[in-house]
Amino acid sequence: MEYQEVLENARKTILNCKVCPECNGLACGNTLPGPGSKAPGNGAHDNWKAWKAIKLNMDTFAPDTPVNTECEMFGRKCSLPLLTGPIGAMTQYSKDDVTIAFNDGVIQAAYEAGIIDCFGDGLTPNTLAGSRDSANRYPGCAIPVLNPLPNEEIRQKIEMLEDSATLALAIVVDSAGLSHWKVKGFGPGSKTVEDLKYLKSFTKKPFIIKGIMTAKAAEKAVEAGADAIIVSNHGGRALPETPATAEVLPEIVQAVKGQTTIIVDGGIRHGSDMVKALSLGADAVLICRPFAVSWFGGGAEGVKTYIEKLRSEFIDAMYMVGARKLEDLNPDMVRV
Ligand SMILES: Cc1cc2nc3c(=O)[nH]c(=O)nc-3n(C[C@H](O)[C@H](O)[C@H](O)COP(=O)(O)O)c2cc1C
C-alpha cells in the first residue's frame, strides 16, 4: 500500500480527525474527548513545532557503508528504535468501540515490522483482556500501559497480565490530568514514588513510567525503579502550557542517562525527527496519533506502510548526518 492511499482511505472512516497531510495538532486543536489537546488546545502543536525548530547538521564525510538501525529494547531485538503509542479509547475516533481491533492490528504490524507496540487499558475491562489475547498471538512485542487508577485496581490488572506474552509493563502517571474522563466517573489520580515501588513489586517484567516532563520527575521515576521512562506530556492532553517534549529532553538526558532507558514522544512524525531525538540522547521514540490514522486507512497493512515510511526516512537522515549505527548519533548532529 502507498502512504497516500492510506491517508485517503482514513479520511472516509475516521471521526474527529481531518487526516491532515502533516499531523501537527492544528486542525484538532482543542478537542477532548477527541484527538486534540487540553484547552486552549495548543499542546500537540507545540510539541510538533519544537522538533521542527531543531535542524539536522548535514555532514557526508563518512565511509559509504550501510546504515544499521537495529537495537535491543527490554530484551527484544528491534529493527528500529520505535514504539507505537497507546490509545485507550478509540471511541474518540469512531462511533463504535474499535479499541480491541485497533490494538490487534497495531500489535500485528509491530510484530511483523520488528518494533514495539504500546496499548492502552481503555475504559472497559474487556479492552485489556482482548488486547492481552492479541499480545499472546504476537508474543514479546506489546506493552500494556495502565492508567493511574487506585493501586488495588492496577494490582489486579498486573496480575492478569503477568503470565501473558507482553514484553513489559507501563504506568502512565500523567493521566492524572485527564479531566475529560474524570467528569465521566473514570478516576485516574496522581501517584507517589512509594505507590510506584509498590506496583512494581507485582511484576517481574521491565517497568516503565510514562509521562515524565522534568529532570526531578525523571530522578523520582528512577528511584521508583523505572527500567524506562517515557518523556511525554500526553500529546498536550494532560496539562496545557507545558514545555514541548523536545525542549525538556536534554535536561532529562543529563539527569538520568545510563540509569534508565529514555523514550520520548510528542509530535514526532518523520524519520528526521527520530534522528533529532536520538541525537539529543533519547534511546527510542514513541509515536501515537499517526498510527490511528494508518490503522483506519488500512488496518495492520496501513500501519506497516507508515512504519516503512519512517524506516526509509530514518535511514536517509542518519546517512546524511554521517551516522551508520544508532550509537553514532550525538548532539553535534543537530542544531538546536
Ligand atoms: C486519542 C488519544 C488517546 C490516548 N490515550 C492514551 C492512553 O490511553 N494511555 C496513554 O498512556 N497515552 C494515551 N495517549 C497519549 C499518546 O500515547 C501519546 O503520549 C501522545 O499522543 C503524544 O504522541 P503523538 O504526538 O505522537 O500523538 C492518547 C493520545 C490520543 C491522541
Side-chain angles (χ1 to χ4, degrees), residues 14-18 25 28-29 31-37 44 92-93 235 237 289 292:
I14 199 166
L15 288 187
N16 302 325
C17 167
K18 303 261 186 291
C28 49
T31 53
L32 278 187
S37 307
Q92 296 175 88
Y93 285 106
R237 298 162 68 79
R289 290 175 178 93

Side-chain angles (χ1 to χ4, degrees), residues 32-73:
L32 278 187
S37 307
K38 201 173 192 173
N42 51 305
H45 183 63
D46 288 351
N47 279 339
W48 176 86
K49 208 168 47 181
W51 293 113
K52 292 304 126 197
I54 300 170
K55 301 296 173 191
L56 295 176
N57 287 332
M58 186 170 72
D59 181 350
T60 53
F61 284 90
D64 196 10
T65 51
V67 170
N68 182 346
T69 62
E70 285 170 5
C71 61
E72 194 175 309
M73 276 189 284

Side-chain angles (χ1 to χ4, degrees), residues 86-88 92 145 172 210 232 234-235 237 265-267 269 288-289:
I87 297 180
Q92 296 175 88
V145 182
V172 49
K210 178 171 184 279
S232 172
H234 218 107
R237 298 162 68 79
D265 79 11
R269 299 292 176 259
C288 179
R289 290 175 178 93

Side-chain angles (χ1 to χ4, degrees), residues 188-220:
S190 60
K191 295 288 173 203
T192 63
V193 168
E194 291 314 313
D195 288 326
L196 292 161
K197 279 186 183 167
Y198 172 74
L199 293 168
K200 180 183 157 97
S201 74
F202 295 102
T203 183
K204 293 195 172 55
K205 300 190 189 240
F207 185 68
I208 303 168
I209 301 180
K210 178 171 184 279
I212 300 298
M213 282 297 287
T214 67
K216 275 199 178 136
E219 283 161 359
K220 286 182 204 161

Side-chain angles (χ1 to χ4, degrees), residues 91-248:
T91 44
Q92 296 175 88
Y93 285 106
S94 162
K95 278 203 300 302
D96 305 317
D97 189 355
V98 292
T99 312
I100 295 177
F102 166 74
N103 287 344
D104 189 70
V106 187
I107 292 172
Q108 179 190 340
Y111 182 82
E112 289 170 3
I115 66 161
I116 292 175
D117 166 73
C118 294
F119 61 92
D121 57 353
L123 302 175
T124 67
N126 293 350
T127 308
L128 189 61
S131 307
R132 177 200 54 190
D133 295 346
S134 303
N136 285 338
R137 267 198 302 286
Y138 305 103
C141 77
I143 301 178
V145 182
L146 304 183
N147 273 302
L149 298 175
N151 284 353
E152 288 319 297
E153 281 182 48
I154 300 186
R155 184 180 62 76
Q156 283 168 17
K157 290 184 177 182
I158 296 176
E159 282 171 358
M160 141 185 183
L161 291 161
E162 199 52 14
D163 290 335
S164 70
T166 52
L167 181 63
L169 181 98
I171 311 269
V172 49
V173 290
D174 65 358
S175 284
L178 296 185
S179 39
H180 59 295
W181 295 134
K182 281 190 181 169
V183 294
K184 295 197 169 195
F186 169 75
S190 60
K191 295 288 173 203
T192 63
V193 168
E194 291 314 313
D195 288 326
L196 292 161
K197 279 186 183 167
Y198 172 74
L199 293 168
K200 180 183 157 97
S201 74
F202 295 102
T203 183
K204 293 195 172 55
K205 300 190 189 240
F207 185 68
I208 303 168
I209 301 180
K210 178 171 184 279
I212 300 298
M213 282 297 287
T214 67
K216 275 199 178 136
E219 283 161 359
K220 286 182 204 161
V222 170
E223 189 190 335
D227 298 293
I229 57 168
I230 305 182
V231 177
S232 172
N233 55 19
H234 218 107
R237 298 162 68 79
L239 173 70
E241 311 303 347
T242 67
T245 50
E247 289 171 317
V248 298

